[in-house]
Amino acid sequence: MNDKPQLTLVGSGLAGPLLAIELKKRGYGVRLFERRPDMRKVKISAGRSINLALSTRGIHALRAAGVWDEMRRIIIPMRGRMMHAVSGELSFMPYGKDESEVINSISRAELNIALMNAAEARGVTIEFDQRCTAYDARTATVHLRDEETGNERVLESEVVIGTDGSASAIRLALQTTLPRFNLSQQYLNYGYKELTIPAGPDGKHQMETRALHIWPRGSYMLIALPNIDGTFGCILFLPFEGKDSFAELDSDVKIRRFFEESFPDALRLMPGLVENYKANPVGAMVTIKCAPWHIEGKALALGDAAHAIVPFFGQGLNAAFEDVTVLLEMLDRSSHASKTGSGGALTFRWERLFAEFEAARKVNTDAIADLALENFVEMRDKVADPRFLLRKKVELALEAKYPGHFVPKYAMVTFHRLPYAVALARGRVQDRMLGELCDGIERVEDLDWKRADALIRRELTPLGELQSA
Ligand SMILES: Cc1cc2nc3c(=O)[nH]c(=O)nc-3n(C[C@H](O)[C@H](O)[C@H](O)COP(=O)(O)OP(=O)(O)OC[C@H]3O[C@@H](n4cnc5c(N)ncnc54)[C@H](O)[C@@H]3O)c2cc1C
C-alpha cells in the first residue's frame, strides 16, 4: 500500500520527462536520472540530427500533459511521401484523406530538450551523468554510477520506472530477477546512418518542405525529413553486409559512386556527403518483446525499455507516449477508486496497476512491432510500384464511401488512437479485401462497388466513434 511514494525514473529520453511531468502534476515526488550529460550544455553528436515523425498518439499525450503548445513551434507537418525515382522524377502520395491528416517532423534532440525544459519548469529535478548499473528488488534499491567521477551510490526507492530505452538496465534487472522472464530480441540485418542535406544559400529547404522524402530502391532506401532550420535530416538504410551494403562502402570513391548511381538528385544537395558519411556511425535496429514488464509493484519498464520496435511505421515514440497516457489513465482511475472507497485513504496497489497496464498494453505493442516490420518492405520497395499506388487510391475511395467502416491501415495507426492490435487485425482483413478488389483493374474508376459493398458489410464491423489527438 502506498501513499504517494517518491518515484524514481531511470532515463531522461523522450518518455521519461513526459511521465515525470504527469506524475509531478499529480503530486508525486519524482527523481529522474539520465546516463548522458545534459545535451543542453554538452554537444552530443549521435542521434542529434535524427528527426522523428510525431503523430496522433504522441500529440494526444503531449496535449494531456499540457506541453503541446510548447512543442508546436518545433514541428513541421508533412502531408505525404515524396518519392524520388533514380531519374529524378518526383511523385507525391498523400498520407491521409485531407490536410488534417499529416505527420509531424520533429528533431529528436529538440523534442528531448523541450520536454526536459518543461519538466524542470514544473519542478522535476533531472540528474545527468547518472548511469543506472543495477536494480535490486529485494532491497528496493537503484544502483547509480556517476559517469564523470566514477562514484557509485545506492538509492532506496519504493517505486522505480525504467524509461531507459532499448538497452534498458531496468529490463535487465527484470530478466535477472524474475524466474520465468520471456525475452525475444530480433535484430534486422539492416543498419542506418544519419546524414544531412544542408539549407540552401537563402537558409530555406532545398526540397519540398511539407513532405517526407523517400528514395525507395528495392532492397535499400534513403529518407529525408525537414528540420525547422532549413536542413533535412536524412537516414540511409542499407544491409550491414552483402550487395549494396554498408560493408561495401569502404572508400570515399565507393560512397560517392553509390550515391551517384542510387540517389543522384540527393547527392547534388549534399556537398559534404563523404565527410558526413564517415563521421556518423551505423546504428542497429532491434525489435524487443518481453514479459513481465514489472517486478511486483516495485519496478516497471515502459516505452522502448519494454518494447523497442523498428522505425518503419514512425511509431516507437508515439507508442512510448501512449504508454504514458494509458498508465496515467489507470493511475487516475485507481487513485479515484481508492479515494472514494472505504476508509478514504489513497491506498491503491502499484502491483495491480502495473499488471493491468501490462495486460492492456502488451498486446498492442506486440502488434505495432509486427506492423513496423511489415512496413519496412512497403517503404523501401512497394511505394515505387504502380499497383501499390493504385491500392492506396482505392483505400482512400473506400474510406470516403464507408467512413467509420473502412479506415486505411496507415490511418488507423497514425491518425487515430484505435488500439494497435485492432489496427493490425482489421488491416489484415482489409489487405485481403484490397487484393480482391484491385485484381484486374488499372484505375480506381474501374472499382466494382457492388463487390466492395458486399465485402465491407460481410467482413468489417463499424468502428464506432474514432478518437484522434
Ligand atoms: C533511426 C530511428 C528513427 C526513428 N523514427 C521514429 C519516428 O519517426 N517516429 C517514432 O514515433 N519513433 C521513431 N523512432 C523510435 C523512437 O526514437 C523511440 O521509440 C523513442 O525514443 C522511445 O522513447 P524512450 O523514452 O522509451 O527511449 P529513449 O528515447 O531511447 O530514451 C532512453 C533514455 O534513457 C537513457 N538511459 C539508457 N540507459 C540508461 C541507464 N542505464 N541509466 C540511466 N539512463 C539511461 C538514455 O540515454 C536515453 O536518454 C526511431 C528510432 C530510430 C532508431
Side-chain angles (χ1 to χ4, degrees), residues 11 13-15 34-36 53 108 132 164 304 314-318:
L14 302 178
E34 166 58 44
R35 80 171 143 83
R36 291 173 310 188
R108 171 199 286 280
C132 169
D164 50 347
D304 272 20
Q315 284 296 312
L317 151 75
N318 291 287

Side-chain angles (χ1 to χ4, degrees), residues 10-17 33-36 39 50-55 108 112 130-133 144 162-170 192 194 225 235 237 284-285 302-305 307-321:
V10 175
S12 184
L14 302 178
F33 296 98
E34 166 58 44
R35 80 171 143 83
R36 291 173 310 188
M39 60 165 68
I50 288 263
N51 305 54
L52 307 173
L54 174 69
S55 50
R108 171 199 286 280
N112 206 160
Q130 301 298 311
R131 179 188 289 271
C132 169
T133 52
L144 294 165
T163 46
D164 50 347
S166 58
S168 167
I170 297 301
Y192 73 92
E194 296 171 35
L225 283 77
I235 312 179
F237 296 96
M285 289 171 285
L302 178 144
D304 272 20
H307 49 76
I309 62 176
V310 296
F312 306 107
F313 224 118
Q315 284 296 312
L317 151 75
N318 291 287
F321 280 6

Side-chain angles (χ1 to χ4, degrees), residues 242-308:
K243 190 171 164 345
D244 300 323
S245 67
F246 283 114
E248 265 192 351
L249 304 187
D250 57 2
S251 71
D252 296 8
V253 174
K254 287 185 190 164
I255 296 166
R256 255 199 97 74
R257 195 186 311 133
F258 181 68
F259 270 72
E260 271 161 12
E261 286 167 4
S262 298
F263 316 118
D265 58 338
L267 177 63
R268 280 195 286 281
L269 307 176
M270 300 168 107
L273 168 73
V274 173
E275 295 70 36
N276 196 196
Y277 184 97
K278 290 198 298 191
N280 289 334
V282 177
M285 289 171 285
V286 66
T287 303
I288 292 174
K289 293 181 181 173
C290 70
W293 288 356
H294 64 105
I295 304 178
E296 300 159 5
K298 296 176 176 175
L300 170 77
L302 178 144
D304 272 20
H307 49 76

Side-chain angles (χ1 to χ4, degrees), residues 10-265:
V10 175
S12 184
L14 302 178
L18 182 69
L19 180 58
I21 290 168
E22 288 283 37
L23 292 168
K24 190 82 192 166
K25 227 163 67 181
R26 286 160 175 82
Y28 290 92
V30 186
R31 294 176 291 203
L32 187 45
F33 296 98
E34 166 58 44
R35 80 171 143 83
R36 291 173 310 188
D38 186 345
M39 60 165 68
R40 294 164 295 186
K41 297 180 185 148
V42 178
K43 194 168 161 25
I44 300 169
S45 55
R48 259 209 95 85
S49 60
I50 288 263
N51 305 54
L52 307 173
L54 174 69
S55 50
T56 295
R57 294 166 204 265
I59 294 171
H60 176 79
L62 291 167
R63 197 170 261 151
V67 294
W68 172 231
D69 284 341
E70 293 160 62
M71 307 298 149
R72 287 190 109 130
R73 288 176 286 116
I74 53 171
I75 59 161
I76 296 184
M78 300 179 290
R79 292 186 302 115
R81 294 167 172 161
M82 185 71 83
M83 266 84 68
H84 294 241
V86 181
S87 65
E89 193 189 326
L90 299 177
S91 46
F92 182 76
M93 185 177 24
Y95 278 125
K97 59 181 183 320
D98 57 39
E99 287 279 317
S100 70
E101 295 193 332
V102 297
I103 59 174
N104 301 283
S105 174
I106 188 161
S107 139
R108 171 199 286 280
E110 294 289 337
L111 175 61
N112 206 160
I113 288 171
L115 282 170
M116 291 195 292
N117 287 341
E120 286 178 344
R122 287 156 178 82
V124 174
T125 20
I126 310 175
E127 291 187 47
F128 296 93
D129 288 309
Q130 301 298 311
R131 179 188 289 271
C132 169
T133 52
Y135 169 74
D136 186 342
R138 240 175 347 101
T139 51
T141 49
V142 182
H143 296 236
L144 294 165
R145 187 179 62 229
D146 188 304
E147 295 285 81
E148 276 216 314
T149 62
N151 290 343
E152 312 219 335
R153 62 178 158 150
V154 177
L155 208 88
E156 272 184 42
S157 183
E158 273 179 80
V159 180
V160 176
I161 303 184
T163 46
D164 50 347
S166 58
S168 167
I170 297 301
R171 189 183 64 245
L172 186 62
L174 302 183
Q175 187 184 344
T176 48
T177 310
L178 295 166
R180 291 179 305 283
F181 185 74
N182 293 306
L183 175 69
S184 90
Q185 172 170 297
Q186 188 195 353
Y187 278 94
L188 282 188
N189 51 7
Y190 279 74
Y192 73 92
K193 188 183 275 281
E194 296 171 35
L195 298 168
T196 304
I197 293 181
D202 54 359
K204 299 216 173 109
H205 292 106
Q206 300 200 64
M207 304 184 293
E208 164 62 42
T209 305
R210 286 162 60 86
L212 186 149
H213 294 259
I214 308 192
W215 291 257
R217 297 294 180 262
S219 63
Y220 58 93
M221 70 174 171
L222 176 71
I223 65 170
L225 283 77
N227 277 315
I228 49 171
D229 62 1
T231 63
F232 278 90
C234 308
I235 312 179
L236 174 65
F237 296 96
L238 293 182
F240 281 106
E241 276 114 27
K243 190 171 164 345
D244 300 323
S245 67
F246 283 114
E248 265 192 351
L249 304 187
D250 57 2
S251 71
D252 296 8
V253 174
K254 287 185 190 164
I255 296 166
R256 255 199 97 74
R257 195 186 311 133
F258 181 68
F259 270 72
E260 271 161 12
E261 286 167 4
S262 298
F263 316 118
D265 58 338

